[in-house]
Amino acid sequence: MFTDRTALQTAAYAEQGPLAARLAIYRWQRNPVDLQGLALAALAGVSGTVLDAGCGLGTYVARLRRERPDLRVLPLDLSAGMRPAVVGDIQALPLADASVGGALAMHMLYHVPDIPVAVHELRRVVQPGGVLVVSTNGVDDKLEVGNLIAAAVRDLTGSVIEPPDSDGRFTPEDAGVLRAEFGTVEVAVYDREVVVSAAEPVVAFVDSMRALTGAVLPAEVPWDAFLDAVRLRVSAEVERHGAWTMRSQVGILTCR
Ligand SMILES: C[S@@+](CC[C@H](N)C(=O)[O-])C[C@H]1O[C@@H](n2cnc3c(N)ncnc32)[C@H](O)[C@@H]1O
């Protein structure tokens, strides 16, 4: 997963559309994991302000505001295109020491160049007795997508590429970086299956990752031809098995 600040701001998260398209695949979850509900539960004893660092589309912000109107929620993101209240970098939070009761860093630490610095910043701003909730993808997350991308490239060019690394920079196995700053870190890992009975939602999902995965394609492969190869592969799988399936693994790390 890349960490280049300019690429994150001007390509991957320049606007909300691709992230919304990427998250749409989870409508096909068989055994849904309510990540927002889990974050809310972890924040049960928190009062005052809750920072959502790397808020993205604001899914957690909306749920917190709806279900915890007693809290002041502060959405922050590196990319202005995500329309956060504060444009800022988790590695240098524009907040005073011990100024928030709780913080979220959901599916974002893998994009941060210096993860220990980000965690140190979170420790600095969260009051003693407060809670930090972190989510990230597990080591076995969405392996089928990397394999699909590699297979589509092989179909088109005959060449073998490494399936793109999704988010191996920070997985639940890396809880040590949080333990270095927080007294206790509880790790819970959830497995879910995404079973898609048509090709187009999978093609749209792969298309939404263009800024993240485009770089792994050989230069001679046009993006549309690549998507056609993905479509063919997924259609064949749907035809054969009734669905294209991927396993998704997500970790929630609750730090106190
Ligand atoms: C995969 S999205 C996750 C969005 C949201 N937290 C969620 O779980 O739906 C990652 C978000 O982190 C933001 N981000 C990346 N690096 C960041 C940084 N250094 N500081 C703050 N936000 C960052 C991106 O702009 C993007 O909106």
Side-chain angles (χ1 to χ4, degrees):
M1 187 63 81
F2 64 67
T3 58
D4 180 88
R5 189 187 170 91
T6 307
L8 287 167
Q9 287 173 314
T10 62
Y13 298 109
E15 41 160 351
Q16 296 188 329
L19 179 56
R22 184 138 52 94
L23 294 178
I25 195 93
Y26 294 104
R27 287 192 201 130
W28 298 82
Q29 282 175 88
R30 270 280 166 81
N31 40 346
V33 179
D34 178 13
L35 292 174
Q36 289 82 33
L38 291 168
L40 265 153
L43 294 171
V46 164
S47 59
T49 299
V50 169
L51 166 71
D52 185 359
C55 61
L57 302 177
T59 325
Y60 291 86
V61 174
R63 180 90 175 257
L64 272 168
R65 286 186 174 147
R66 200 165 59 240
E67 296 189 25
R68 288 290 308 274
D70 57 306
L71 296 173
R72 179 179 169 248
V73 186
L74 184 60
L76 174 145
D77 203 282
L78 184 66
S79 296
M82 292 293 133
R83 302 190 218 127
V86 179
V87 175
D89 188 334
I90 194 172
Q91 297 166 113
L93 289 170
L95 296 173
D97 294 359
S99 56
V100 303
L104 303 176
M106 311 303 276
H107 280 88
M108 59 80 64
L109 280 178
Y110 41 65
H111 284 312
V112 176
D114 196 330
I115 296 172
V117 164
V119 176
H120 187 71
E121 275 295 87
L122 290 163
R123 176 65 281 180
R124 181 182 69 74
V125 302
V126 173
Q127 290 152 9
V131 180
L132 165 68
V133 188
V134 169
S135 69
T136 195
N137 293 326
V139 280
D140 291 332
D141 184 67
K142 297 193 276 287
L143 298 178
E144 294 83 0
V145 176
N147 293 338
L148 174 64
I149 290 170
V153 170
R154 197 172 60 243
D155 292 346
L156 285 172
T157 65
S159 56
V160 176
I161 60 160
E162 275 291 300
D165 167 37
S166 57
D167 353 45
R169 289 194 70 248
F170 182 76
T171 73
E173 322 278 306
D174 300 311
V177 69
L178 298 165
R179 292 203 173 95
E181 297 279 355
F182 287 82
T184 64
V185 178
E186 283 165 36
V187 182
V189 176
Y190 302 88
D191 290 291
R192 48 189 173 170
E193 233 185 9
V194 179
V195 181
V196 191
S197 59
E200 278 327 300
V202 182
V203 175
F205 177 75
V206 173
D207 190 28
S208 76
M209 299 196 303
R210 182 172 187 168
L212 302 169
T213 59
V216 303
L217 295 195
E220 72 273 18
V221 176
W223 187 254
D224 285 346
F226 164 67
L227 286 185
D228 286 342
V230 167
R231 184 177 290 107
L232 270 178
R233 282 235 157 219
V234 178
S235 299
E237 185 81 4
V238 171
E239 180 98 344
R240 248 194 329 269
H241 300 295
W244 182 87
T245 300
M246 73 175 184
R247 277 154 307 144
S248 165
Q249 195 175 54
V250 62
I252 298 269
L253 301 94
T254 306
C255 317
R256 293 174 204 274

